[in-house]
Amino acid sequence: MQAQKINANSDQSKAQTVYPILIVIGIAHLLNDALQSVVPALFPVLQNSMGLTFTQLGLIAFALNATSSLIQPIVGMYTDKKPSPYALPIGLTLSLFGIIGLALAPSFWIIMISVLFIGLGSAAFHPEGSRVAYMAAGNRRGLAQSIYQVGGNSGQALAPLMAAFILLPLGQIGALWFTLVAAAAVVLLLYIAAWYKQQVNKSKPVEKIVVHKKTMKHEKRLNENKRIIVFSISLLIFLVFARSWFHAGITNFYAFYAIENYGIPIADSQIYIFVFLGAGAIGTFFGGPLADRFGKRVVISLSMLGSAPLAILLPFVDPTFAYLLIAIIGFIILSSFSVTVVYAQELVPGRIGLVSGLIVGLAFGMGAIGSVALGVLADWIGLTNTIIFTVCLPLIGLLTFLLPSDQKVREMHN
């Protein structure tokens, strides 16, 4: 005899999609990631005003990623056991304090402490934000996760614009303008937290006894499914890791490549990054509905393999054609951004926070470490060869054929 906890959320397929909540959590995600993007956008300002070295800037970036990404699985594990609606506004309040500290910091160490506050706020936000999107999804999980994730991608895409129009003209103190962004996010998340708490109270776990005849065949099937799930999650993390290295290579180094090879000024080189991230945000939105229709593994495979030949062409085209190409690449490869989260959630049902932390947090954070590795590679083999290496990374998408189909995933949990 085996006891299973059946949550009221389990008949998600019959529930209505709560679009107002999805839109609000998407906007909150945009504001959160825009705040996080203030840190790298401030790097040129901090380097000029405080004389920070590249090593110090690297430590700031590492502190941000270590707190905002790498501890997300820990937060997710805790909130899976004990849902925490008010972790959302509390997290953004920490980010608010971090932004104030960043704007007024007189020294490197105060900047580091401020960045830790921003990172912790983001780490508290993401797993619970994914849970809200899941709860409000109804039978449109792909679309719901896309609405949530497109907010984050749009916030990241704003970084080059923030640097150009706010932080470079105003300097470090210009970051104070983003306290308004943080305050707006806190207000939105107080509304979300109240709705989230209502849902938790409505869906108290109901104990249901399911009788299984313990046969060797049944035990063998359970063990086989467990092996498939562990392998699939590990492979999915590796695929997101590779995609994140590609993302880091383009966003951190392609601008330098464009300056060196096309002879354009710094401001113009940033347009390529904005086009890539902006098109990626649009691709993130469309990826979810496409996955709802054609299957999640299909979209994950096509997003990497479909972008691979175009990415390989990128270093060899003229500067005008590069705008079009980098937009198409961004759209295709980031179309699976939200889909990988939903696919992982269905592989491991009931562990929304942990899975979101692993896919969005740990894997993406480890991808950020790729920035350091690619920087070392650029010093070693040159910028052009590093870009050529980077654009070959989507070929790793061939491994997606080893993932179980959507139908197989459903059968494992029936």
Side-chain angles (χ1 to χ4, degrees):
M1 194 171 283
Q2 181 180 339
Q4 293 184 340
K5 286 188 177 180
I6 308 298
N7 197 297
N9 281 342
S10 62
D11 52 1
Q12 191 89 3
S13 60
K14 299 178 184 177
Q16 292 292 317
T17 305
V18 189
Y19 288 104
I21 292 297
L22 289 175
I23 291 168
V24 173
I25 195 66
I27 293 170
H29 197 185
L30 184 153
L31 299 178
N32 177 84
D33 282 27
L35 291 174
Q36 199 172 331
S37 296
V38 169
V39 178
L42 259 180
F43 280 177
V45 174
L46 295 174
Q47 190 178 41
N48 289 332
S49 65
M50 301 180 68
L52 299 185
T53 66
F54 285 112
T55 300
Q56 288 174 314
L57 293 177
L59 287 170
I60 292 170
F62 179 78
L64 179 66
N65 282 298
T67 49
S68 68
S69 298
L70 300 183
I71 68 170
Q72 277 190 44
I74 300 169
V75 175
M77 287 175 67
Y78 174 80
T79 56
D80 280 337
K81 294 177 182 176
K82 188 175 181 181
S84 307
Y86 288 96
L88 292 163
I90 290 171
L92 264 292
T93 302
L94 290 175
S95 295
L96 171 61
F97 290 138
I99 289 292
I100 293 171
L102 197 62
L104 303 177
S107 68
F108 168 72
W109 290 109
I110 300 298
I111 289 172
M112 286 288 284
I113 293 169
S114 302
V115 164
L116 289 175
F117 271 90
I118 295 171
L120 286 170
S122 188
F125 171 83
H126 279 101
E128 288 297 82
S130 284
R131 193 187 309 278
V132 168
Y134 183 89
M135 293 168 69
N139 62 352
R140 304 294 304 278
R141 290 183 187 173
L143 174 63
Q145 195 67 30
S146 286
I147 293 172
Y148 170 68
Q149 292 293 353
V150 78
N153 286 10
S154 299
Q156 293 169 25
L158 292 174
L161 300 182
M162 291 189 295
F165 296 110
I166 299 176
L167 299 175
L168 289 177
L170 298 179
Q172 186 178 342
I173 198 69
L176 278 177
W177 282 102
F178 293 94
T179 58
L180 300 176
V181 173
V186 171
V187 171
L188 291 176
L189 290 173
L190 285 169
Y191 167 73
I192 288 287
W195 178 85
Y196 178 178
K197 188 175 181 181
Q198 282 184 339
Q199 302 311 301
V200 171
N201 290 337
K202 283 181 189 175
S203 57
K204 296 287 186 186
V206 178
E207 200 72 27
K208 183 177 178 180
I209 303 300
V210 179
V211 178
H212 287 300
K213 188 177 179 182
K214 281 195 172 182
T215 64
M216 289 181 64
K217 185 177 180 181
H218 174 67
E219 292 295 332
K220 184 178 178 182
R221 181 171 178 265
L222 287 177
N223 290 332
E224 182 184 346
N225 288 346
K226 188 179 292 185
R227 284 195 297 271
I228 292 171
I229 289 169
V230 170
F231 170 79
S232 300
I233 286 291
S234 301
L235 178 56
L236 205 60
I237 290 171
F238 176 71
L239 289 167
V240 175
F241 179 51
R243 187 185 65 197
S244 298
W245 271 52
F246 174 80
H247 187 278
I250 296 297
T251 55
N252 291 329
F253 296 102
Y254 187 77
F256 294 105
Y257 174 84
I259 292 166
E260 185 177 295
N261 287 269
Y262 300 149
I264 59 176
I266 295 173
D268 289 352
S269 72
Q270 291 296 310
I271 297 174
Y272 286 104
I273 311 307
F274 174 69
V275 168
F276 174 75
L277 294 172
I282 298 170
T284 298
F285 177 77
F286 282 100
L290 288 172
D292 286 336
R293 181 172 182 134
F294 299 108
K296 296 163 191 67
R297 192 185 74 168
V298 170
V299 172
I300 294 169
S301 298
L302 289 178
S303 76
M304 295 195 75
L305 294 178
S307 60
L310 300 176
I312 290 169
L313 278 176
L314 185 61
F316 308 104
V317 299
D318 64 58
T320 302
F321 190 58
Y323 285 115
L324 176 63
L325 205 55
I326 204 167
I328 298 171
I329 293 165
F331 180 92
I332 295 174
I333 200 163
L334 291 180
S335 64
S336 64
F337 195 95
S338 61
V339 178
T340 50
V341 178
V342 178
Y343 182 83
Q345 288 173 348
E346 294 186 358
L347 273 170
V348 192
R351 305 301 299 276
I352 306 303
L354 173 61
V355 165
S356 300
L358 285 171
I359 300 302
V360 180
L362 180 60
F364 197 75
M366 290 298 288
I369 295 172
S371 299
V372 179
L374 290 172
V376 172
L377 194 63
D379 288 334
W380 181 36
I381 64 173
L383 184 60
T384 297
N385 288 330
T386 301
I387 291 295
I388 291 171
F389 168 79
T390 299
V391 298
C392 291
L393 287 170
L395 289 172
I396 292 173
L398 287 166
L399 296 176
T400 56
F401 293 113
L402 299 177
L403 292 170
S405 66
D406 294 50
Q407 179 64 30
K408 175 68 174 175
V409 173
R410 285 191 289 270
E411 287 173 357
M412 285 192 296
H413 296 294
N414 287 336

